[in-house]
Amino acid sequence: MTVLKPPVSSDDHRAGPDGAPVTLTEYGDYECPYCGAAYPIVQEVRRALGPNLRFVFRHFPLSQAHPHAQRAAEAAEAAGAQGEFWKMHDLLFQNQDALEDADLLRYAVSLKLDGERFTRELSAGLHTDRVRRDFRSGVRSGVNGTPTFFINGVRHDAPWDLPTLTAALEAAAAVPGGR
Amino acid sequence: MSTATLPQATTGALPAGTKLPDFHLPVAPGRKASLSDYRGQTVILAFYPADWSPVCGDQMSLYNEVLPDFQEHRAQVLGVSVDGPWCHRAFAEARKLRFPLLSDFEPKGAFARACGVYREGDGTSERALFVVDGEGTIRWSYVSPIDVNPGADGILEALEKLESNRPTPKGGTP
């Protein structure tokens, strides 16, 4: 059984209640088309499970395959430093074909972030280590491609189409004492 | 408890403690490599069924990303499949792979057979991993279900274990 190392903590980007019976963790890459395909499915299960689901996103940029992935992940972190991680996360997945630096800045400005600070942090590589740390935790957790999902800390090896993922999450929600 | 940390080979793969059979296989069109070329170095042999697996972050692409971690352990990763050297070249270029791929092509699958990881019916190798020490002894082997990319966590654990068991570093390394 392949489990999440380290477990979800307050260092993670979490959406939904910390006390939710089910936690879905995704290791993803903003330039990966499969992650892009998974994005609306994840949005849908979040809607469907509501307060029963906590969603966690960790970065797993495959930089050799996707030249913009690392920078995009750092952009999400830079937005997160100004309190808007999830809005940037959404914009990146909705605009996977436009991830140049100018695009990233445009998204930051559209979110009314301090663009100068955003650019400065990206240029200085302020968030590089954070993204690398997520990546390494993924390797340790048995992430074998993107996206890789974990449900309550256990790798979900089945497909992630909407019915399969929903069923897996609902089954986890029905297990008492899960998380 | 601790026996459960590293998954063990379940098929006929050569187990830890045995010598890896030597190989002499193409690493590029017109160029061959042998195990003895890597003497003194830890070698990670990653058998996989075929080039061109249709997913992002397939097994070889993942190892490409984890290369700095392997290099920290001074380990050389070698991919192995039954594909020919020209196929490997195109695949490696497309995926920007920064480590060699061996062609177990003629006689087909002979090296995989010698390692106990050839799939007769399919004509490919298993998805098998071997971590081999500088003396050519297998220190860890693992066969993944054919459709499950084994990831890199088992390899890293094996490398760490190998390092902690090593009495002193070999001389002459930088």
Side-chain angles (χ1 to χ4, degrees), chain A residues 34 62-64 132 139-140 144, chain B residues 54 57 65 69 149 153 160:
Chain A
Y34 297 92
L62 296 167
S63 316
Q64 299 298 319
R132 185 74 196 161
V139 171
R140 288 297 170 167
N144 52 17
Chain B
E65 305 282 345
D69 298 43
N149 173 347
D153 50 325
E160 278 162 11

Side-chain angles (χ1 to χ4, degrees), chain B residues 38-123:
Chain B
Y38 301 97
R39 185 162 289 280
Q41 246 185 307
T42 304
V43 169
I44 304 157
L45 268 181
F47 285 90
Y48 61 102
D51 290 343
W52 305 109
S53 133
V55 292
C56 287
D58 63 46
Q59 197 179 345
M60 293 304 115
S61 301
L62 177 70
Y63 296 162
N64 208 31
E65 305 282 345
V66 184
L67 220 46
D69 298 43
F70 292 156
Q71 283 162 350
E72 266 176 35
H73 293 280
R74 282 183 256 142
Q76 171 69 54
V77 62
L78 303 171
V80 195
S81 79
V82 296
D83 297 288
W86 295 102
C87 185
H88 271 345
R89 172 179 282 186
F91 178 61
E93 280 176 6
R95 300 289 163 91
K96 303 189 186 74
L97 300 184
R98 296 170 297 158
F99 57 88
L101 301 177
L102 302 174
S103 289
D104 192 10
F105 182 68
E106 176 59 33
K108 187 181 160 204
F111 181 47
R113 250 179 249 274
C115 295
V117 294
Y118 191 70
R119 290 171 70 91
E120 290 296 341
D122 297 339

Side-chain angles (χ1 to χ4, degrees), chain A residues 31-96:
Chain A
E31 200 177 357
C32 162
Y34 297 92
C35 299
Y39 170 73
I41 293 170
V42 170
Q43 294 298 92
E44 183 51 38
V45 297
R46 287 175 62 185
R47 260 192 300 274
L49 275 92
N52 286 326
L53 183 74
R54 175 173 67 160
F55 177 60
V56 172
F57 187 83
R58 289 181 177 174
H59 303 290
F60 203 81
L62 296 167
S63 316
Q64 299 298 319
H66 303 139
H68 304 93
Q70 171 76 24
R71 190 75 149 190
E74 292 179 27
E77 289 300 321
Q82 298 187 46
E84 295 291 11
F85 174 84
W86 290 112
K87 284 185 184 163
M88 181 62 87
H89 169 94
D90 290 339
L91 282 173
L92 294 170
F93 273 138
Q94 289 158 6
N95 297 278
Q96 284 195 300

